[in-house]
Amino acid sequence: MKKIMSIILILCSTALIAQRNWKTETSKNGKVIVKSDIVNTDNGKVIYYIAETTADISLEKAEKCLRDSQTHKNFLENTTESKQVEKSSESKWITYYFFDAPWPMPNSDAVQEFTVTKTSNSLTVSGTSKPKAYKSTDVKRMNNYDITYHFEKLDNQKTKLTITAKFSPVGRVPKFLLKGWFPKGPAGIATRLINEISKK
């Protein structure tokens, strides 16, 4: 069943790639490939990105890192708080985030339900928006923030990391901030996540 779920998640990610008008860039150090697309809707902007890189990390350490919600603030951008607020099963839990956004954007928070699926050579940790799963605070909550971390062992024994994300900021994002965030924003998240996993 877990293998089937992992395949479904990969197929969904593939469908997402096919449907988007991606702009592809490479990080300054050449180690992370970032694809991005920004869509204007009646409810504001929806930002999509995919960050891909490879590293010498184990699936076991990657899982240990991502299961620890408190470590998420160490690799996500502008995140001052990340904590597990509920655990419904061994493979499912709720995480709360607080984002200290750069001026002129307002601070915000988010709540995600995480699910873990594994095969012999892959690991997928998926976070889906659950804005009502945790009490409201004095900042606006992101209602649209999904992210998937997929790890796959390669033939050369390295591990490929693919981060697929979709989110809508709570406030208006100035063009200069969006323009400057790609590719370094997603690339930074991927790089910091690899570094965090390496500490485990």
Side-chain angles (χ1 to χ4, degrees), residues 164-190:
T164 305
K166 177 188 75 169
F167 66 96
S168 297
V170 298
R172 186 174 179 180
V173 184
K175 288 184 178 180
F176 76 91
L177 281 181
L178 272 182
K179 185 177 179 181
W181 198 64
F182 293 108
K184 68 177 183 179
I189 292 171

Side-chain angles (χ1 to χ4, degrees), residues 83-86 93-99 108-114 127-137 140-146:
K83 62 182 180 181
Q84 180 178 299
V85 294
E86 183 183 315
W93 69 92
I94 302 288
T95 296
Y96 169 82
Y97 298 102
F98 182 88
F99 305 113
S108 62
D109 65 6
V111 182
Q112 290 181 328
E113 181 179 65
F114 279 93
T128 304
S129 285
K130 294 288 182 180
K132 296 182 180 180
Y134 187 63
K135 63 184 180 182
S136 299
T137 67
K140 290 184 177 180
R141 178 153 298 170
M142 293 176 67
N143 292 314
N144 178 21
Y145 180 30
D146 299 336

Side-chain angles (χ1 to χ4, degrees), residues 16-157:
L16 176 64
I17 292 172
Q19 293 170 4
R20 302 257 56 89
N21 182 26
W22 295 110
K23 178 181 180 180
T24 302
E25 301 172 273
T26 303
S27 63
K28 193 173 181 179
N29 62 9
K31 293 183 178 181
V32 186
I33 296 173
V34 176
K35 299 175 183 178
S36 61
D37 187 21
I38 301 169
V39 179
N40 292 309
T41 72
D42 292 340
N43 297 318
K45 295 184 184 298
V46 181
I47 300 169
Y48 300 83
Y49 74 80
I50 297 173
E52 298 178 335
T53 189
T54 58
D56 291 315
I57 54 173
S58 71
L59 298 182
E60 293 75 18
K61 286 187 176 182
E63 181 178 357
K64 183 178 180 181
C65 176
L66 287 169
R67 280 183 177 274
D68 182 2
S69 295
Q70 292 190 52
T71 68
H72 292 203
K73 65 180 179 293
N74 297 334
F75 59 84
L76 292 175
E77 196 167 81
N78 303 317
T79 306
T80 57
E81 183 178 6
S82 59
K83 62 182 180 181
Q84 180 178 299
V85 294
E86 183 183 315
K87 185 175 182 180
S88 54
S89 71
E90 195 57 37
S91 61
K92 190 172 290 187
W93 69 92
I94 302 288
T95 296
Y96 169 82
Y97 298 102
F98 182 88
F99 305 113
D100 185 5
W103 182 90
M105 294 176 60
N107 292 341
S108 62
D109 65 6
V111 182
Q112 290 181 328
E113 181 179 65
F114 279 93
T115 304
V116 175
T117 56
K118 296 185 286 185
T119 68
S120 59
N121 66 344
S122 70
L123 166 72
T124 303
V125 182
S126 297
T128 304
S129 285
K130 294 288 182 180
K132 296 182 180 180
Y134 187 63
K135 63 184 180 182
S136 299
T137 67
D138 59 354
V139 297
K140 290 184 177 180
R141 178 153 298 170
M142 293 176 67
N143 292 314
N144 178 21
Y145 180 30
D146 299 336
I147 192 165
T148 297
Y149 306 92
H150 180 71
F151 302 84
E152 183 178 1
K153 274 295 181 184
L154 304 177
D155 292 339
N156 61 5
Q157 297 306 305

